[in-house]
mmCIF file with all atom_site columns, all heavy atoms in Angstrom:
data_model
loop_
_atom_site.group_PDB
_atom_site.id
_atom_site.type_symbol
_atom_site.label_atom_id
_atom_site.label_alt_id
_atom_site.label_comp_id
_atom_site.label_asym_id
_atom_site.label_entity_id
_atom_site.label_seq_id
_atom_site.pdbx_PDB_ins_code
_atom_site.Cartn_x
_atom_site.Cartn_y
_atom_site.Cartn_z
_atom_site.occupancy
_atom_site.B_iso_or_equiv
_atom_site.pdbx_formal_charge
_atom_site.auth_seq_id
_atom_site.auth_comp_id
_atom_site.auth_asym_id
_atom_site.auth_atom_id
_atom_site.pdbx_PDB_model_num
ATOM 1  N N   . LEU A 1 438 ? -43.180 -49.947 66.987 1.00 98.00 ? 438 LEU A N   1
ATOM 2  C CA  . LEU A 1 438 ? -43.116 -51.134 66.125 1.00 98.00 ? 438 LEU A CA  1
ATOM 3  C C   . LEU A 1 438 ? -43.041 -52.408 66.950 1.00 98.00 ? 438 LEU A C   1
ATOM 4  O O   . LEU A 1 438 ? -43.753 -53.385 66.681 1.00 98.00 ? 438 LEU A O   1
ATOM 5  C CB  . LEU A 1 438 ? -41.900 -51.035 65.191 1.00 98.00 ? 438 LEU A CB  1
ATOM 6  C CG  . LEU A 1 438 ? -42.024 -50.086 64.003 1.00 98.00 ? 438 LEU A CG  1
ATOM 7  C CD1 . LEU A 1 438 ? -40.656 -49.829 63.378 1.00 98.00 ? 438 LEU A CD1 1
ATOM 8  C CD2 . LEU A 1 438 ? -42.984 -50.642 62.960 1.00 98.00 ? 438 LEU A CD2 1
ATOM 9  N N   . GLU A 1 439 ? -42.195 -52.395 67.956 1.00 98.00 ? 439 GLU A N   1
ATOM 10 C CA  . GLU A 1 439 ? -42.039 -53.595 68.791 1.00 98.00 ? 439 GLU A CA  1
ATOM 11 C C   . GLU A 1 439 ? -43.345 -53.938 69.497 1.00 98.00 ? 439 GLU A C   1
ATOM 12 O O   . GLU A 1 439 ? -43.785 -55.104 69.490 1.00 98.00 ? 439 GLU A O   1
ATOM 13 C CB  . GLU A 1 439 ? -40.929 -53.369 69.821 1.00 98.00 ? 439 GLU A CB  1
ATOM 14 C CG  . GLU A 1 439 ? -40.670 -54.586 70.699 1.00 98.00 ? 439 GLU A CG  1
ATOM 15 C CD  . GLU A 1 439 ? -39.489 -54.394 71.629 1.00 98.00 ? 439 GLU A CD  1
ATOM 16 O OE1 . GLU A 1 439 ? -38.878 -53.302 71.630 1.00 98.00 ? 439 GLU A OE1 1
ATOM 17 O OE2 . GLU A 1 439 ? -39.175 -55.340 72.378 1.00 98.00 ? 439 GLU A OE2 1
ATOM 18 N N   . MET A 1 440 ? -43.977 -52.945 70.109 1.00 98.00 ? 440 MET A N   1
ATOM 19 C CA  . MET A 1 440 ? -45.226 -53.190 70.829 1.00 98.00 ? 440 MET A CA  1
ATOM 20 C C   . MET A 1 440 ? -46.311 -53.712 69.891 1.00 98.00 ? 440 MET A C   1
ATOM 21 O O   . MET A 1 440 ? -46.976 -54.722 70.183 1.00 98.00 ? 440 MET A O   1
ATOM 22 C CB  . MET A 1 440 ? -45.697 -51.895 71.490 1.00 98.00 ? 440 MET A CB  1
ATOM 23 C CG  . MET A 1 440 ? -47.045 -52.015 72.182 1.00 98.00 ? 440 MET A CG  1
ATOM 24 S SD  . MET A 1 440 ? -47.639 -50.439 72.826 1.00 98.00 ? 440 MET A SD  1
ATOM 25 C CE  . MET A 1 440 ? -48.037 -49.566 71.311 1.00 98.00 ? 440 MET A CE  1
ATOM 26 N N   . ASN A 1 441 ? -46.482 -53.050 68.758 1.00 98.00 ? 441 ASN A N   1
ATOM 27 C CA  . ASN A 1 441 ? -47.600 -53.415 67.890 1.00 98.00 ? 441 ASN A CA  1
ATOM 28 C C   . ASN A 1 441 ? -47.364 -54.701 67.104 1.00 98.00 ? 441 ASN A C   1
ATOM 29 O O   . ASN A 1 441 ? -48.328 -55.396 66.768 1.00 98.00 ? 441 ASN A O   1
ATOM 30 C CB  . ASN A 1 441 ? -47.922 -52.243 66.955 1.00 98.00 ? 441 ASN A CB  1
ATOM 31 C CG  . ASN A 1 441 ? -48.557 -51.087 67.704 1.00 98.00 ? 441 ASN A CG  1
ATOM 32 O OD1 . ASN A 1 441 ? -49.637 -51.219 68.270 1.00 98.00 ? 441 ASN A OD1 1
ATOM 33 N ND2 . ASN A 1 441 ? -47.875 -49.950 67.750 1.00 98.00 ? 441 ASN A ND2 1
ATOM 34 N N   . MET A 1 442 ? -46.108 -55.035 66.826 1.00 98.00 ? 442 MET A N   1
ATOM 35 C CA  . MET A 1 442 ? -45.831 -56.343 66.231 1.00 98.00 ? 442 MET A CA  1
ATOM 36 C C   . MET A 1 442 ? -46.278 -57.446 67.196 1.00 98.00 ? 442 MET A C   1
ATOM 37 O O   . MET A 1 442 ? -46.876 -58.456 66.790 1.00 98.00 ? 442 MET A O   1
ATOM 38 C CB  . MET A 1 442 ? -44.345 -56.487 65.926 1.00 98.00 ? 442 MET A CB  1
ATOM 39 C CG  . MET A 1 442 ? -43.859 -55.666 64.753 1.00 98.00 ? 442 MET A CG  1
ATOM 40 S SD  . MET A 1 442 ? -44.247 -56.378 63.141 1.00 98.00 ? 442 MET A SD  1
ATOM 41 C CE  . MET A 1 442 ? -43.061 -57.730 63.063 1.00 98.00 ? 442 MET A CE  1
ATOM 42 N N   . ARG A 1 443 ? -46.002 -57.248 68.483 1.00 98.00 ? 443 ARG A N   1
ATOM 43 C CA  . ARG A 1 443 ? -46.447 -58.234 69.481 1.00 98.00 ? 443 ARG A CA  1
ATOM 44 C C   . ARG A 1 443 ? -47.966 -58.289 69.549 1.00 98.00 ? 443 ARG A C   1
ATOM 45 O O   . ARG A 1 443 ? -48.570 -59.370 69.603 1.00 98.00 ? 443 ARG A O   1
ATOM 46 C CB  . ARG A 1 443 ? -45.876 -57.878 70.851 1.00 98.00 ? 443 ARG A CB  1
ATOM 47 C CG  . ARG A 1 443 ? -44.399 -58.192 71.020 1.00 98.00 ? 443 ARG A CG  1
ATOM 48 C CD  . ARG A 1 443 ? -44.020 -58.256 72.490 1.00 98.00 ? 443 ARG A CD  1
ATOM 49 N NE  . ARG A 1 443 ? -42.641 -58.727 72.625 1.00 98.00 ? 443 ARG A NE  1
ATOM 50 C CZ  . ARG A 1 443 ? -41.605 -57.949 72.960 1.00 98.00 ? 443 ARG A CZ  1
ATOM 51 N NH1 . ARG A 1 443 ? -41.803 -56.658 73.200 1.00 98.00 ? 443 ARG A NH1 1
ATOM 52 N NH2 . ARG A 1 443 ? -40.401 -58.451 73.058 1.00 98.00 ? 443 ARG A NH2 1
ATOM 53 N N   . LEU A 1 444 ? -48.598 -57.125 69.548 1.00 98.00 ? 444 LEU A N   1
ATOM 54 C CA  . LEU A 1 444 ? -50.045 -57.083 69.750 1.00 98.00 ? 444 LEU A CA  1
ATOM 55 C C   . LEU A 1 444 ? -50.834 -57.647 68.574 1.00 98.00 ? 444 LEU A C   1
ATOM 56 O O   . LEU A 1 444 ? -51.977 -58.082 68.750 1.00 98.00 ? 444 LEU A O   1
ATOM 57 C CB  . LEU A 1 444 ? -50.479 -55.642 70.041 1.00 98.00 ? 444 LEU A CB  1
ATOM 58 C CG  . LEU A 1 444 ? -49.976 -55.067 71.371 1.00 98.00 ? 444 LEU A CG  1
ATOM 59 C CD1 . LEU A 1 444 ? -50.429 -53.627 71.543 1.00 98.00 ? 444 LEU A CD1 1
ATOM 60 C CD2 . LEU A 1 444 ? -50.449 -55.914 72.555 1.00 98.00 ? 444 LEU A CD2 1
ATOM 61 N N   . ILE A 1 445 ? -50.252 -57.641 67.373 1.00 98.00 ? 445 ILE A N   1
ATOM 62 C CA  . ILE A 1 445 ? -50.976 -58.267 66.252 1.00 98.00 ? 445 ILE A CA  1
ATOM 63 C C   . ILE A 1 445 ? -50.570 -59.723 66.061 1.00 98.00 ? 445 ILE A C   1
ATOM 64 O O   . ILE A 1 445 ? -51.129 -60.427 65.219 1.00 98.00 ? 445 ILE A O   1
ATOM 65 C CB  . ILE A 1 445 ? -50.776 -57.504 64.921 1.00 98.00 ? 445 ILE A CB  1
ATOM 66 C CG1 . ILE A 1 445 ? -49.324 -57.526 64.474 1.00 98.00 ? 445 ILE A CG1 1
ATOM 67 C CG2 . ILE A 1 445 ? -51.281 -56.087 65.025 1.00 98.00 ? 445 ILE A CG2 1
ATOM 68 C CD1 . ILE A 1 445 ? -49.123 -56.974 63.067 1.00 98.00 ? 445 ILE A CD1 1
ATOM 69 N N   . GLY A 1 446 ? -49.566 -60.173 66.848 1.00 98.00 ? 446 GLY A N   1
ATOM 70 C CA  . GLY A 1 446 ? -49.193 -61.581 66.830 1.00 98.00 ? 446 GLY A CA  1
ATOM 71 C C   . GLY A 1 446 ? -48.207 -61.953 65.745 1.00 98.00 ? 446 GLY A C   1
ATOM 72 O O   . GLY A 1 446 ? -48.329 -63.026 65.137 1.00 98.00 ? 446 GLY A O   1
ATOM 73 N N   . CYS A 1 447 ? -47.209 -61.102 65.496 1.00 98.00 ? 447 CYS A N   1
ATOM 74 C CA  . CYS A 1 447 ? -46.205 -61.387 64.464 1.00 98.00 ? 447 CYS A CA  1
ATOM 75 C C   . CYS A 1 447 ? -44.796 -61.212 65.034 1.00 98.00 ? 447 CYS A C   1
ATOM 76 O O   . CYS A 1 447 ? -44.527 -60.264 65.764 1.00 98.00 ? 447 CYS A O   1
ATOM 77 C CB  . CYS A 1 447 ? -46.381 -60.475 63.262 1.00 98.00 ? 447 CYS A CB  1
ATOM 78 S SG  . CYS A 1 447 ? -47.872 -60.814 62.304 1.00 98.00 ? 447 CYS A SG  1
ATOM 79 N N   . ASN A 1 448 ? -43.910 -62.130 64.657 1.00 98.00 ? 448 ASN A N   1
ATOM 80 C CA  . ASN A 1 448 ? -42.527 -62.088 65.120 1.00 98.00 ? 448 ASN A CA  1
ATOM 81 C C   . ASN A 1 448 ? -41.592 -61.376 64.161 1.00 98.00 ? 448 ASN A C   1
ATOM 82 O O   . ASN A 1 448 ? -40.527 -60.930 64.559 1.00 98.00 ? 448 ASN A O   1
ATOM 83 C CB  . ASN A 1 448 ? -41.996 -63.525 65.336 1.00 98.00 ? 448 ASN A CB  1
ATOM 84 C CG  . ASN A 1 448 ? -42.685 -64.218 66.487 1.00 98.00 ? 448 ASN A CG  1
ATOM 85 O OD1 . ASN A 1 448 ? -42.383 -63.966 67.635 1.00 98.00 ? 448 ASN A OD1 1
ATOM 86 N ND2 . ASN A 1 448 ? -43.639 -65.081 66.155 1.00 98.00 ? 448 ASN A ND2 1
ATOM 87 N N   . SER A 1 449 ? -41.961 -61.318 62.886 1.00 98.00 ? 449 SER A N   1
ATOM 88 C CA  . SER A 1 449 ? -41.052 -60.753 61.899 1.00 98.00 ? 449 SER A CA  1
ATOM 89 C C   . SER A 1 449 ? -41.842 -60.119 60.770 1.00 98.00 ? 449 SER A C   1
ATOM 90 O O   . SER A 1 449 ? -43.051 -60.362 60.607 1.00 98.00 ? 449 SER A O   1
ATOM 91 C CB  . SER A 1 449 ? -40.131 -61.833 61.324 1.00 98.00 ? 449 SER A CB  1
ATOM 92 O OG  . SER A 1 449 ? -40.878 -62.772 60.570 1.00 98.00 ? 449 SER A OG  1
ATOM 93 N N   . VAL A 1 450 ? -41.138 -59.306 59.987 1.00 97.00 ? 450 VAL A N   1
ATOM 94 C CA  . VAL A 1 450 ? -41.745 -58.635 58.845 1.00 97.00 ? 450 VAL A CA  1
ATOM 95 C C   . VAL A 1 450 ? -42.319 -59.642 57.849 1.00 97.00 ? 450 VAL A C   1
ATOM 96 O O   . VAL A 1 450 ? -43.365 -59.398 57.224 1.00 97.00 ? 450 VAL A O   1
ATOM 97 C CB  . VAL A 1 450 ? -40.701 -57.716 58.165 1.00 97.00 ? 450 VAL A CB  1
ATOM 98 C CG1 . VAL A 1 450 ? -41.172 -57.255 56.798 1.00 97.00 ? 450 VAL A CG1 1
ATOM 99 C CG2 . VAL A 1 450 ? -40.393 -56.519 59.059 1.00 97.00 ? 450 VAL A CG2 1
#
Side-chain angles (χ1 to χ4, degrees):
L438 284 166
E439 182 175 2
M440 176 185 70
N441 289 298
M442 287 281 286
R443 285 199 173 106
L444 293 178
I445 64 171
C447 291
N448 292 282
S449 66
V450 166

